[in-house]
Amino acid sequence: MIRAGVVGASGLAGGELIRLIVQHPELELTFLGGSSNIGRRPAELHPGLRRDLGLTVQPVTAEVAEQVDVLFLATPAPVSAELAELMADRVPAVIDLSGAFRIRTPDLHARWYPKVRRRTELADRFVYGVPELVADQLADAALISLPGCYATSMTLALAPLTMGLGLDLKTVVVDGKSGSSGGGLSLRTTDLHPLRNGAIAPYSPTGHRHAGEVRDFFERSKPGAVGSLSMSAYGVSHVRGLMTSSYVFTDEKTSQRDLHRAYVRFYRGKHFVRVRRHDETLIPVPDPQAVLGSNYCDVTVLCDEENSRIVVLAALDNLIKGAAGQAVQAANLRFSLPEETGLTMQPVMPA
């Protein structure tokens, strides 16, 4: 068994990690860490986790390295930066779910994460990216930085255009909508139920840091392929699930048929990306409702030939494919397991 530890065990992503790990046939949960709720059991923190795991939340020290083969950091970015410094070269694999190491370029990192201090040498050692695009790099990676939930959706939406068809994307404008769980458990006035319920709240109308990491990833993977990439983010009254609508402007000609075929070809054999036609189900897809509780990302590509525009829609569960599920998927690849191991759950609908 592969010994797994979770730091940030009291958070939403931490709770999902616990749930997925205890159901995983090859992972054994051996450590729960945090700075608050010390001594508390998972069942006290997450009402759905009633199984007695024989573990309580403990402080994180260097000695934890002796208890785990893989350590998941479901912690705020400043905390992850400190813990990665402590655990690098002590633990065989550290998988960070925060934004501490997502952006490689120092100036861009400083813009979006001004309070997160990290050594450039350490940041350069992290492998970044969704598993579908960097699986070969994860096979022996000691340090893995997972994309944010929005970034996962955007990257999976755009990768077939740049990395598959080789198109030059002159301008990309992204509209993102996410449920309240995307903000974690921090109590903010704007997240109170009387204000959030039924709302469409433009909390980042002129930019979002997840767009910064997507831009950084594509610039390193295929320099110059994406001209400008901007994003507006909105909070909606769902609890789980998000959707991104990417409006892509390019001078290169294509067609609906060619685009759909390209996406199917690019994601052939990729278990967790479902390329869908917009009208193939009872409800138009992608729809976050159709992926809740699963590690799937549904993607639909549409061609607006009249306006020289490609529209790519992508939906996922922000706590699974956008966080804990993708972390387990990366761990599977890191330890040479089939990537779907422990992640075969189907979506729950209606939710």
Side-chain angles (χ1 to χ4, degrees), residues 137-347:
Q137 299 178 44
L138 297 176
D140 58 358
L143 300 171
I144 298 170
S145 175
L146 295 178
C149 50
Y150 275 134
T152 298
S153 180
M154 285 188 281
T155 306
L156 289 172
L158 299 174
L161 300 177
T162 60
M163 303 170 76
L165 287 172
L167 299 182
D168 289 326
L169 311 185
K170 185 169 61 175
T171 303
V172 180
V173 179
V174 181
D175 176 291
K177 295 181 174 65
S178 177
S180 59
S181 60
L185 292 177
S186 300
L187 182 60
R188 295 167 294 192
T189 301
T190 53
D191 287 331
L192 293 173
H193 184 76
L195 300 178
R196 183 74 183 230
N197 188 47
I200 301 177
Y203 65 89
S204 291
T206 60
H208 193 286
R209 58 191 180 186
H210 287 191
E213 67 182 81
V214 172
R215 184 79 170 78
D216 189 58
F217 171 74
F218 280 121
E219 189 59 31
R220 287 185 285 107
S221 303
K222 194 170 174 49
V226 179
S228 69
L229 191 156
S230 58
M231 178 183 180
S232 297
Y234 301 82
V236 296
S237 58
H238 294 78
V239 174
R240 302 172 75 119
L242 67 77
M243 180 172 178
T244 58
S245 303
S246 298
Y247 308 115
V248 181
F249 298 87
T250 177
D251 292 329
E252 302 182 50
K253 298 296 183 181
T254 186
S255 68
Q256 178 64 51
R257 182 181 181 184
D258 289 344
L259 284 171
H260 182 77
R261 285 185 170 183
Y263 273 69
V264 171
R265 183 168 59 249
F266 189 86
Y267 285 121
R268 184 174 290 122
K270 304 300 183 184
H271 186 83
F272 293 116
V273 179
R274 305 189 299 188
V275 178
R276 314 197 70 171
R277 295 188 184 278
H278 180 55
D279 56 357
E280 71 179 53
T281 71
L282 291 173
I283 61 172
V285 289
D287 186 321
Q289 285 195 83
V291 294
L292 292 187
S294 78
N295 198 51
Y296 291 117
C297 177
D298 281 1
V299 179
T300 294
V301 60
L302 301 162
C303 186
D304 180 1
E305 295 186 39
E306 183 178 355
N307 297 291
S308 301
R309 184 179 67 146
I310 299 169
V311 178
V312 193
L313 311 174
L316 53 78
D317 184 326
N318 55 291
L319 293 179
I320 305 294
K321 182 56 174 169
Q326 184 156 245
V328 172
Q329 183 183 355
N332 286 339
L333 292 168
R334 165 61 179 81
F335 290 96
S336 302
L337 300 172
E339 66 178 328
E340 66 270 21
T341 306
L343 295 170
T344 57
M345 59 280 188
Q346 294 298 298

Side-chain angles (χ1 to χ4, degrees), residues 62-81:
E63 287 68 34
V64 171
E66 301 173 5
Q67 304 175 43
V68 299
D69 301 306
V70 55
L71 188 64
F72 297 95
L73 303 181
T75 44
V79 178
S80 285

